[in-house]
Amino acid sequence: MPVLDSSKIVAALRGAFAREEGREALLRIAAEKIKAAGPPYTSVYLYMLHGKELLLEAFAGRETEHTRIPVGTGVCGTAVASGQDQNVPDVRAVENYLACNAWTRSELVVLIRRGPLILGQIDIDSDVSNPFTPDEEAAVRQVADALAVLL
């Protein structure tokens, strides 16, 4: 059973959409509700794709200096360049890793996509090594899929 209850987050996103809250609010709600699940979710960043760059549009948890990430750089940029979600059990083993902070040990990046079009991503940092099971990844993907429809 995953820590993250994606159905409650998706319901909150649909409610915000029905109230005609905008993109900024939807992204913020997703970040805050994923982070609120607690450990292993240390920090949650929502980056949206603008041309050849990912721009940080919402986050919950620790601040990051990485507000703009070129496609192909770091775990986030690699996800977009490859078109594949990234589940990195130990970030210290990644050669081109962009450290948001010294405490992060693992990272999960799930793309927000509408068909083949990549809109952005949910980037989750954890202070624990290898916490993101296939069930956790699937739960985050459900949130990403909801955002793809609502944005």
Side-chain angles (χ1 to χ4, degrees):
M1 183 81 173
V3 171
L4 189 68
D5 185 348
S6 58
S7 62
K8 287 184 180 176
I9 299 170
V10 170
L13 290 169
R14 288 183 180 147
F17 182 80
R19 291 188 303 275
E20 298 184 359
E21 294 189 38
R23 167 188 175 112
E24 185 180 319
L26 292 171
L27 295 173
R28 188 183 66 251
I29 289 165
E32 289 172 353
K33 295 225 175 265
I34 292 170
K35 165 84 171 70
Y41 299 90
T42 304
S43 297
V44 181
Y45 307 95
L46 278 95
Y47 288 96
M48 299 307 287
L49 189 59
H50 294 266
K52 299 270 184 214
E53 257 188 337
L54 288 159
L55 300 182
L56 181 64
E57 293 194 22
F59 76 95
R62 297 185 184 120
E63 289 191 20
T64 178
E65 64 190 42
H66 301 292
T67 58
R68 305 171 86 85
I69 300 174
V71 170
T73 301
V75 175
C76 291
T78 297
V80 174
S82 68
Q84 303 282 322
D85 295 343
Q86 303 288 307
N87 187 342
V88 180
D90 183 356
V91 296
R92 294 169 292 186
V94 176
E95 205 171 292
N96 69 346
Y97 178 65
L98 293 177
C100 285
N101 63 73
W103 303 280
T104 299
R105 289 294 166 255
S106 58
E107 186 170 7
L108 175 65
V109 176
V110 176
L111 295 169
I112 301 168
R113 55 187 340 148
R114 193 176 293 143
L117 179 67
I118 296 172
L119 304 177
Q121 63 189 215
I122 301 172
D123 172 28
I124 301 168
D125 287 0
S126 179
D127 292 353
V128 178
S129 292
N130 199 21
F132 301 116
T133 64
D135 286 345
E136 293 297 335
E137 194 171 337
V140 175
R141 190 169 300 105
Q142 289 175 334
V143 176
D145 290 348
L147 284 170
V149 171
L150 299 173
L151 292 175

